[in-house]
Every structure is written in structure tokens, then in C-alpha cells.
Amino acid sequence: MRQKLGKNAYYRIFKTITSDNGSEFSELTRVHDHVFYTEPYSPWERGSNEINNRFLRKEITKGQAINDYSSAQIIATNNWMNHYPRAIFNGRSAMDVYCKAFYQEMSRSHLLINN
């Protein structure tokens, strides 16, 4: 996305990334300059992530291989999570917030190009 949007637009839309210290996230700084790693065993430092995990566990059972689920099931779960209204966004979904930021950025870029 950073390549498609351009670095400046990307960072205006995606201000930070917050992650735990798992080895699977060790290279996040290769894709984003502002990465915050939380302390181990401190779920309160990544509240939105914990809520997403809870949502995910409603559909994908912990301990079960992801390969046991079809692509359609994974996509449906992803869509459901992205469109679920969130209190942190005043009842809007993550997709609503992203789309608004994306279109604002595209409008901004369009104005810069045409002026």
C-alpha cells in the first residue's frame, strides 16, 4: 500500500502500527517507520488488537489450523470484522474510517495535482 499510495499519503492514513513482541512481527519496521511494540503479557497496551482477536475467535477456533477454513470463510470473517461498528470509532466501522481517510487523501492529492 505504501508503494501504491506514495510514502506521504500512506503515513497520513496509517499513522502508527502497534504490535506485540512476537517474532512474526519482528520486521514491521521494514514496512512502517512508526511501530510500537507492547510489553509481553500486557494486553491492555493493545486493546484494539485484543478485541480483534476476540472477534476472530468467534469464527476461527483457537488451536485449529487456519487451513481447515476455506478462503470464502476467511474472506467472510475479514469482511464481518472490518464492517463491524466500533465504539472507539463512535459507531463507525474500521472500513468506514479507512475509506474516509483514503478518500480525503485522494481528494487532497487530486487538488495538489490540479493546482
Side-chain angles (χ1 to χ4, degrees), residues 84-93 96:
Y84 191 89
R86 311 286 181 114
I88 195 170
F89 299 136
N90 295 320
R92 294 176 297 157
S93 70
D96 293 335

Side-chain angles (χ1 to χ4, degrees), residues 44-68:
W44 56 88
E45 292 182 355
R46 54 184 190 282
S48 296
N49 176 261
E50 292 299 315
I51 291 169
N52 282 331
N53 289 345
R54 210 172 305 137
F55 283 158
L56 193 57
R57 294 295 172 223
K58 286 182 178 184
E59 301 295 321
I60 298 175
T61 308
K62 188 172 184 168
Q64 190 168 4
I66 197 83
N67 292 337
D68 293 345

Side-chain angles (χ1 to χ4, degrees), residues 7-104:
K7 192 173 182 179
N8 292 335
Y10 173 82
Y11 284 116
R12 280 192 292 272
I13 294 172
F14 302 101
K15 294 175 180 37
T16 65
I17 294 177
T18 302
S19 172
D20 63 25
N21 289 310
S23 60
E24 66 272 26
F25 302 116
S26 64
E27 296 188 20
L28 277 177
T29 54
R30 293 179 73 196
V31 297
H32 205 289
D33 292 342
H34 305 289
V35 177
F36 296 95
Y37 291 99
T38 61
E39 294 295 320
Y41 309 105
S42 303
W44 56 88
E45 292 182 355
R46 54 184 190 282
S48 296
N49 176 261
E50 292 299 315
I51 291 169
N52 282 331
N53 289 345
R54 210 172 305 137
F55 283 158
L56 193 57
R57 294 295 172 223
K58 286 182 178 184
E59 301 295 321
I60 298 175
T61 308
K62 188 172 184 168
Q64 190 168 4
I66 197 83
N67 292 337
D68 293 345
Y69 296 88
S70 70
S71 294
Q73 287 172 301
I74 300 296
I75 290 168
T77 298
N78 185 55
N79 286 337
W80 173 73
M81 289 174 64
N82 284 334
H83 290 88
Y84 191 89
R86 311 286 181 114
I88 195 170
F89 299 136
N90 295 320
R92 294 176 297 157
S93 70
M95 185 61 77
D96 293 335
V97 172
Y98 167 74
C99 287
K100 181 179 179 183
F102 177 81
Y103 288 116
Q104 283 177 335

